[in-house]
């Protein structure tokens, strides 16, 4: 399965399949990890970050296109991509460890990349099932966005139609259908995390995909944190970083 193409379809990466694009490297046997969608974004003249500024037009736009909180989370992903998830999660974790405040940085979507030995390595890490951690983050976002039941039958059909039009291979298309068809199961999403760092990343990605003012989505995040045995302290720092990302996204 070509993970880069799957993520590109979800986040809205553009230029996939162009000659010499990183997405082709994955199908040819190269890993493409760390440069994949970033390279595609640069070739298309888009901002940096794993989503490359192309969240609008990806499947994530259908998921997060309702309610202000979800829209701002989607915009944060547009400008920061999955790279921002890693940076925000690491910043929150480090602040918690050092008893420092979180969410006060002026540009929450341009945080430095976590140190190589920090455990926050989205580009190369694997989850508890031995799969690419980026797939877990995508699954976490989908589940969180669905947790209030706002996606009705018509919206499900629109999502299925867009998946069919993405030009994905059979394996990628089947995975995408599976992810969108699965229930919003906080226990199953929590079980994807192999380390505390991955718990923080999965929770942060989920927090960006919800409307923080919706009771159903708040209960989902509470359940997710509970199933991961995430401490209230760390969760508080992660929530503050997610809020900072939304504020910055609203300002740009």
């Amino acid at each position: 399965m070509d993970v880069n193409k799957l993520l590109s379809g979800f986040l809205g990466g553009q230029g996939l399949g162009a000659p010499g694009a990183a997405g082709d490297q994955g199908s040819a046997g190269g890993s493409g990890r760390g440069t994949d969608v970033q390279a595609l974004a640069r070739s298309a003249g888009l901002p940096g970050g794993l989503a490359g500024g192309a969240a609008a037009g990806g499947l994530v736009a259908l998921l997060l296109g309702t309610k202000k909180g979800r829209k701002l989370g989607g915009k944060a992903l547009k400008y920061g991509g999955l790279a921002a998830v890693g940076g925000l999660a690491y910043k929150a974790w480090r602040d918690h460890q050092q008893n420092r405040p979180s969410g006060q940085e002026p540009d929450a979507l341009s945080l430095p990349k976590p140190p190589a030995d920090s455990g926050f390595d989205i580009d190369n890490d694997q989850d508890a099932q031995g799969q690419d951690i980026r797939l877990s983050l995508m699954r976490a976002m989908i589940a969180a966005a669905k947790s209030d039941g706002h996606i009705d039958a018509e919206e499900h059909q629109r999502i299925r139609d867009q998946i069919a039009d993405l030009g994905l291979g059979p394996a990628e298309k089947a995975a995408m259908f599976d992810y969108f068809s699965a229930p919003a199961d906080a226990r199953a999403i929590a079980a994807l995390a192999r380390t505390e760092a991955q718990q923080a990343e999965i929770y942060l990605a989920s927090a960006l995909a919800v409307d923080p003012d919706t009771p159903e989505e708040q209960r989902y995040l509470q359940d997710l944190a509970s199933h991961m045995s995430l401490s209230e302290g760390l969760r508080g720092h992660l929530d503050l970083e997610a809020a900072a990302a939304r504020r910055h996204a609203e300002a740009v």
Side-chain angles (χ1 to χ4, degrees), residues 105-120:
E105 58 272 15
D107 186 352
L109 301 180
S110 298
L111 292 171
K113 186 175 181 178
D117 60 352
S118 67
F120 290 80

Side-chain angles (χ1 to χ4, degrees), residues 44 166 200:
L166 286 175

Side-chain angles (χ1 to χ4, degrees), residues 53-98:
L59 288 170
V60 71
L62 295 181
L63 271 183
L64 308 183
T66 60
K67 295 191 178 181
K68 183 177 180 181
R70 278 195 290 266
K71 286 182 179 179
L72 289 176
K75 191 176 180 183
L77 288 168
K78 171 182 176 181
Y79 286 99
L82 290 186
V85 172
L88 290 164
Y90 175 68
K91 173 69 163 52
W93 178 84
R94 186 180 60 182
D95 288 343
H96 175 57
Q97 294 292 313
Q98 299 178 359

Side-chain angles (χ1 to χ4, degrees), residues 1-13 16-18 22-27 36-37 40 134 138 166-169 172 176:
M1 182 169 66
D2 190 330
V3 175
N4 297 330
K5 285 190 176 182
L6 193 63
L7 288 165
S8 182
F10 177 67
L11 292 169
L16 194 59
D24 289 340
Q25 295 172 11
S27 59
D36 42 57
V37 185
L40 299 178
R134 297 175 299 171
M138 184 175 72
L166 286 175
L168 299 173
E172 295 81 26
M176 194 77 85

Side-chain angles (χ1 to χ4, degrees), residues 200-214:
E201 291 164 347
I202 287 172
Y203 181 88
L204 196 287
S206 302
L208 284 176
V210 303
D211 187 326
D213 297 325
T214 303

Side-chain angles (χ1 to χ4, degrees), residues 35 151 172 182-183:
T35 58
I151 301 179
E172 295 81 26

